[in-house]
Amino acid sequence: QVQLVESGGGLVQAGGSLTLSCSASGRTFSSYAMGWFRQAPGKEREFVVAITWNGSRTYYADSVKGRFTISRDNAKNTGYLQMNSLKPEDTAVYYCAADWVPPYGGSWSPTDWGQGTQVTVSS
């Protein structure tokens, strides 16, 4: 199990950029796949992006392909989400997640979650 803490959320205008960070505690983070989900008001939480433990594979939701980039620095126990060309529909609480098992077959059900960070994109 890893403990996850997100940071970097905030208010940005449409077309702008933000970088979220996910700081993990626990020696095993480097062995875990990690990623991001988001939940907009009145909507279900949805998958955004994930990356394998060594960064060899990434998985993106169609809605963010070409705009968002996930990365990680295992030496710092930190994952990142670079978000560019933000749209008002990207407004949501963004959650960092991690699991020993990476995404498979188009789905992912991580067991470890952060508390979330708010991202608001104004039009």
Side-chain angles (χ1 to χ4, degrees), residues 2 4 24 26-32 34 72-74 77-79:
V2 294
L4 305 169
R27 296 181 299 169
T28 57
F29 174 73
S30 60
S31 300
Y32 277 56
M34 61 89 50
R72 65 189 298 163
D73 185 340
N74 287 340
N77 273 7
T78 302

Side-chain angles (χ1 to χ4, degrees), residues 4-7 19-24 29 34-36 51 69-74 76-82 96-97:
L4 305 169
V5 178
E6 303 92 337
S7 61
T19 300
L20 304 184
S21 297
C22 175
S23 179
F29 174 73
M34 61 89 50
W36 298 85
I51 187 169
T69 303
I70 189 171
S71 62
R72 65 189 298 163
D73 185 340
N74 287 340
K76 296 182 178 179
N77 273 7
T78 302
Y80 304 96
L81 180 61
Q82 175 68 43
C96 178

Side-chain angles (χ1 to χ4, degrees), residues 4-7 20-22 34-40 43-49 70 81 92-98 108 110 112-119:
L4 305 169
V5 178
E6 303 92 337
S7 61
L20 304 184
S21 297
C22 175
M34 61 89 50
W36 298 85
F37 287 72
R38 67 186 181 186
Q39 187 168 19
K43 295 186 177 181
E44 293 187 354
R45 187 165 55 190
E46 64 174 357
F47 171 80
V48 176
V49 60
I70 189 171
L81 180 61
V93 177
Y94 282 71
Y95 297 90
C96 178
W108 193 40
D112 300 324
W113 294 85
Q115 83 288 350
T117 186
Q118 176 71 45
V119 172

Side-chain angles (χ1 to χ4, degrees), residues 12 24 32 37 39 48 52 56 61 63 77 99 103 107 117 121:
V12 64
Y32 277 56
F37 287 72
Q39 187 168 19
V48 176
T52 52
S56 63
S63 59
N77 273 7
D99 198 275
S107 66
T117 186
V121 184

